[in-house]
Amino acid sequence: MYFKRTLNLAFHTYPIHLKSLLLQLAVVALVVAIVALFFFNTGGQIVDEIKAEKVIEQATGIIEDIVEGKTSEEDGFNDKIVDFVDSLKNVFTAIPNLVQKVSLAVWLFIILGYVLYFFFGMTLYVNMYAINRFMSTNVSGFYLWTYIKEFKNNLKINLSAALICMIFDAGVAMAVVGAYVMAFSGWGTVGIVVSVLLFIFLLSIRRTVLSYWIPTFIVEECGVKEAFKKSVGMMLDDFGKLLLKTFIVIFVAVALALLSMWLFEVVWAGVVIILLCLIAGHYLTCSYLVDYYEHNHKTYFTKKVKLSSLTGDGENTSEN
């Protein structure tokens, strides 16, 4: 029943998610344009060196070996990794003043990363606000008007939420890469599988810890810090259930993404992966809202209901 309710809610509110996607694409396009503006000259030099060292071909060969399971020492996988790292070193040493340029690139990467997290968070807030409105009133409202009306509250929570998510995700990435390099790299395909599972688990923890924060802020109309404290208390009560659901959704999405890399060409696999991310993200958003309502024993709508006028005998009827 829980799965059916969440699926119903996700299906009946998917237009809200699509509108957010348009805003996200606009933000991504803006960030890409800024990156291109700053790194046009340096990027051209790097691209030339990458072509000269055949870095793309080496990376493609490594990915193909991983997909095909050819990661043992007998297959020469470790030698390919060493050659790839050497080629990257040659690329960097061939470009003058690279240290200063890399330093600038790192700071710009951090700033633009925060910008992406911030604006994606802004669209997530509007998503949750509109879906919560649908659950409580059976009316979604106008997306753009909701964005404008809730801009101040959206700004309040996302200034901190974006930073927390970015730091947490950076920690997850470093932990997974560090674990693979220090512990799992010698395990071949098993090491890669373990690293992927570790990534899914840590990402699931991040999503779980913050799952009730925005719903609490929206529904209870309290301050950012108060909403966080309340949400953590509720989250700890439901931690096991939330973590398991989040892990399953992300695991399925990652598994299908890896399968698409094996079945399709790169471009089509990329399209499938983007669609999987969108579907999984929207489902989790609806799932957290349903869990929040269930935790607080609130009634809610999961699909559109049309109320008819009173019938002749004085009874009110409804049509699903």
Side-chain angles (χ1 to χ4, degrees):
M1 288 298 293
Y2 170 87
F3 176 74
K4 182 180 178 181
R5 289 194 295 269
T6 305
L7 204 59
N8 268 336
L9 182 62
F11 178 77
H12 286 88
T13 58
Y14 79 90
I16 299 171
H17 193 61
L18 292 179
K19 292 170 186 175
S20 290
L21 174 62
L22 294 177
L23 286 178
Q24 291 172 1
L25 290 175
V27 172
V28 170
L30 178 62
V31 170
V32 169
I34 293 173
V35 171
L37 181 65
F38 273 87
F39 291 102
F40 183 76
N41 292 328
T42 304
Q45 294 176 351
I46 294 175
V47 168
D48 291 339
E49 292 297 329
I50 286 175
K51 288 180 179 178
E53 293 291 334
K54 298 183 178 179
V55 172
I56 301 298
E57 290 83 351
Q58 290 176 331
T60 303
I62 291 171
I63 293 172
E64 288 177 352
D65 286 348
I66 291 173
V67 172
E68 294 173 5
K70 299 178 180 178
T71 55
S72 64
E73 195 168 335
E74 290 78 7
D75 295 319
F77 184 75
N78 292 340
D79 293 334
K80 290 181 181 179
I81 295 292
V82 171
D83 292 340
F84 178 70
V85 172
D86 288 339
S87 296
L88 287 178
K89 288 179 181 178
N90 293 335
V91 169
F92 291 137
T93 54
I95 301 173
N97 301 319
L98 187 63
V99 175
Q100 293 87 341
K101 292 176 181 178
V102 169
S103 177
L104 175 63
V106 169
W107 281 108
L108 190 61
F109 177 79
I110 292 172
I111 293 170
L112 292 177
Y114 178 77
V115 169
L116 278 177
Y117 272 85
F118 176 75
F119 280 105
F120 274 48
M122 294 281 280
T123 58
L124 174 62
Y125 177 91
V126 178
N127 266 9
M128 282 201 165
Y129 187 92
I131 295 171
N132 171 70
R133 180 184 169 100
F134 177 83
M135 293 174 72
S136 58
T137 66
N138 209 228
V139 177
S140 299
F142 294 104
Y143 185 88
L144 185 58
W145 172 242
T146 301
Y147 199 100
I148 296 170
K149 184 173 77 73
E150 285 296 310
F151 184 80
K152 184 178 179 181
N153 289 330
N154 199 349
L155 193 65
K156 282 181 184 178
I157 193 167
N158 271 297
L159 284 172
S160 53
L163 184 61
I164 291 172
C165 289
M166 188 175 76
I167 293 173
F168 207 127
D169 287 348
V172 168
M174 288 188 290
V176 172
V177 173
Y180 177 77
V181 171
M182 292 186 292
F184 306 141
S185 58
W187 295 7
T189 304
V190 175
I192 295 171
V193 172
V194 172
S195 297
V196 171
L197 290 175
L198 177 62
F199 168 75
I200 296 172
F201 178 71
L202 294 176
L203 184 60
S204 299
I205 290 177
R206 195 271 277 179
R207 294 297 301 259
T208 299
V209 169
L210 303 178
S211 57
Y212 286 162
W213 190 9
I214 295 179
T216 304
F217 181 77
I218 292 171
V219 176
E220 302 191 20
E221 299 181 346
C222 53
V224 174
K225 290 183 180 178
E226 185 181 355
F228 183 76
K229 291 177 181 177
K230 288 182 177 181
S231 70
V232 169
M234 288 185 285
M235 178 273 298
L236 291 175
D237 291 338
D238 298 339
F239 181 78
K241 176 179 69 174
L242 289 169
L243 180 61
L244 180 60
K245 291 175 183 176
T246 305
F247 183 88
I248 291 173
V249 171
I250 297 177
F251 176 82
V252 171
V254 170
L256 291 175
L258 293 175
L259 182 62
S260 70
M261 292 172 62
W262 182 65
L263 292 176
F264 305 116
E265 297 293 333
V266 175
V267 174
W268 289 110
V271 172
V272 171
I273 290 170
I274 291 172
L275 289 174
L276 288 170
C277 290
L278 294 174
I279 294 170
H282 183 53
Y283 181 85
L284 284 175
T285 297
C286 295
S287 174
Y288 294 148
L289 281 164
V290 169
D291 280 319
Y292 175 83
Y293 269 75
E294 293 279 353
H295 181 93
N296 291 283
H297 308 292
K298 294 176 179 289
T299 56
Y300 56 91
F301 293 97
T302 60
K303 59 183 179 179
K304 198 72 175 176
V305 175
K306 295 181 180 179
L307 297 177
S308 66
S309 59
L310 289 175
T311 59
D313 55 4
E315 293 181 354
N316 198 3
T317 62
S318 63
E319 178 186 353
N320 292 335

